[in-house]
Amino acid sequence: MEFLEKLTQSFSPSGREEEICDIIFEEIKDYADSVYKDTLGNLIVRKEGNGKKIMFSAHTDEIGIMITYIDDKGFLRFSPIGWVDPFYALYQRVKFQSGITGVISYEEKTDAIKDIKMKNLFIDIGAKDKEEAQKMVSIGDTAQFVGDFVINGDRVMSKTLDNRAGVYVLTEAIKKIKSNNDLYFVFTSQEEVGLRGAKTSTFDIFPDFAIAVDVTDTGDTPECNYMAVSLGDGPCIKIKDQSVICDRELVQRIKSVATNNSIPYQLEVLEHGGTDAGAMHITRSGVKTGAISIPTRYIHSTCETCDINDIKNAILLVEKIADEI
Ligand code: CO
Ligand code: ZN
């Protein structure tokens, strides 16, 4: 799990995926036939073969914030990068690549705290005034949320398990896979701002099958919305989310691979949210697309929580799909 910790704590808000790509490259370079980076910042790892062309993806970017304005007192106004809930953001720490760290607070005159809007929030980086703040940060600088990596028994809690859990699944699978299929592992950029890296990389590769690996919601916390997914019951085979209806044939094949290898799985219908699969399946004339999801509580908070066994079973499932599908 040390490598997963390293991945979660790296600095890679959307559009700034360089650091995590370097970390992934160092980890998998000895297991790949080729590795290259494309114009949009996707890292593409290939294991060549004569069989089917299969593309796996996991997005490397994370949600964050970007500075839009610095006021006279040195407080920063900001815009979200990806989907950031203002309620989740309140009193969280944000860290810039330089290490400068601020806290998100709010205009106290705002009444209904649950309905708080992004425009009522600001960041305090400890600057005494605008001049001092401008020496520390600039308009357009991005910051990530801060959240330690903690293991609680079988559970892991950290910032950015969305989607470093998926990145970890692919890097571990790359080390183990033995297959004659022609395999592409794409560590995609800019998923959180609109599935952008997945779009260009799928166009370029145009695989027979595409499979996104990402996190999904659960329905196993007190008084939560109905969802037939629980932590620890296995990785999910996606049926549908807001961005994709997965290819029925591919879903069936993935289920068979799981069953034949005695890998536990759950079926996922995600009512809110999407993944890279949304962009992948409507590339060119269409690509048969599916997704493997890791059940995750509190997605897009600084305390995302997964079960280690689901992550391990997802690695095994990807390893077997790559060879047997
Ligand atoms: Co996300
Ligand atoms: Zn994600």
Side-chain angles (χ1 to χ4, degrees):
M1 290 288 126
E2 269 168 50
F3 186 59
L4 178 59
E5 175 168 9
K6 190 174 179 186
L7 289 170
T8 63
Q9 302 301 310
S10 77
F11 181 89
S12 302
S14 309
R16 297 299 315 279
E17 294 91 353
E18 307 88 11
E19 186 176 309
I20 188 165
C21 285
D22 290 347
I23 293 171
I24 296 166
F25 176 76
E26 282 306 316
E27 186 75 7
I28 55 77
K29 62 178 197 283
D30 296 338
Y31 303 89
D33 291 317
S34 64
V35 186
Y36 65 100
K37 220 170 175 186
D38 73 5
T39 313
L40 256 71
N42 295 302
L43 185 78
I44 299 158
V45 178
R46 188 163 176 205
K47 282 168 94 84
E48 286 176 34
N50 304 317
K52 298 182 197 83
K53 195 195 268 192
I54 306 171
M55 168 178 167
F56 292 93
S57 81
H59 72 86
T60 53
D61 62 318
E62 66 187 290
I63 57 166
I65 61 92
M66 181 178 281
I67 301 177
T68 55
Y69 183 82
I70 303 173
D71 77 14
D72 289 343
K73 290 181 174 170
F75 293 103
L76 318 178
R77 297 290 173 151
F78 62 96
S79 169
I81 296 173
W83 184 83
V84 175
D85 188 321
F87 186 64
Y88 287 9
L90 197 51
Y91 294 124
Q92 295 300 322
R93 294 178 197 197
V94 290
K95 192 161 87 183
F96 295 86
Q97 196 163 26
S98 60
I100 284 173
T101 300
V103 58
I104 297 179
S105 187
Y106 75 112
E107 300 166 347
E108 286 184 356
K109 285 180 181 167
T110 310
D111 295 332
I113 194 98
K114 179 79 179 111
D115 298 323
I116 200 159
K117 302 281 185 298
M118 208 60 78
K119 67 179 170 93
N120 304 118
L121 303 179
F122 55 83
I123 299 169
D124 183 347
I125 49 169
K128 290 186 196 72
D129 54 29
K130 186 171 185 173
E131 204 188 345
E132 194 173 275
Q134 282 172 329
K135 285 181 191 147
M136 299 163 78
V137 293
S138 300
I139 303 298
D141 279 1
T142 58
Q144 63 179 173
F145 287 92
V146 175
D148 288 355
F149 184 92
V150 176
I151 291 179
N152 289 324
D154 277 351
R155 301 278 158 88
V156 47
M157 172 168 70
S158 177
K159 73 176 268 289
T160 329
L161 286 168
D162 174 11
N163 182 29
R164 306 299 154 75
V167 168
Y168 180 73
V169 165
L170 288 195
T171 54
E172 293 306 294
I174 286 169
K175 295 177 196 168
K176 293 177 178 158
I177 288 169
K178 288 185 173 54
S179 167
N180 288 322
N181 286 323
D182 198 14
L183 305 174
Y184 290 79
F185 300 87
V186 184
F187 296 92
T188 55
S189 63
Q190 302 191 34
E191 188 268 356
E192 299 287 2
V193 290
L195 323 179
R196 296 175 189 169
K199 202 171 188 175
T200 57
S201 53
T202 312
F203 188 95
D204 196 31
I205 296 165
F206 199 44
D208 299 318
F209 295 112
I211 297 168
V213 182
D214 204 338
V215 299
T216 193
D217 218 341
T218 68
D220 62 349
T221 55
E223 305 293 328
C224 65
N225 296 320
Y226 290 115
M227 186 172 180
V229 172
S230 301
L231 287 199
D233 285 357
C236 294
I237 299 173
K238 190 187 290 288
I239 309 289
K240 179 189 177 298
D241 64 25
Q242 279 184 306
S243 70
V244 65
I245 295 170
C246 293
D247 181 77
R248 277 170 62 83
E249 179 202 346
L250 181 55
V251 166
Q252 203 48 52
R253 283 172 180 245
I254 297 172
K255 279 191 205 171
S256 301
V257 170
T259 305
N260 294 342
N261 290 284
S262 306
I263 302 168
Y265 68 88
Q266 310 181 67
L267 297 176
E268 174 204 354
V269 180
L270 179 65
E271 289 190 277
H272 304 285
T275 63
D276 275 345
M280 290 149 82
H281 79 295
I282 49 173
T283 295
R284 295 210 209 183
S285 49
V287 173
K288 288 179 181 292
T289 299
I292 307 295
S293 309
I294 297 143
T296 304
R297 290 179 185 162
Y298 326 122
I299 292 176
H300 286 200
S301 79
T302 56
C303 305
E304 295 174 333
T305 300
C306 297
D307 192 291
I308 290 169
N309 299 305
D310 293 339
I311 295 174
K312 287 182 179 163
N313 281 314
I315 296 166
L316 188 60
L317 186 55
V318 167
E319 184 191 339
K320 297 299 179 189
I321 289 169
D323 186 36
E324 296 175 16
I325 213 148

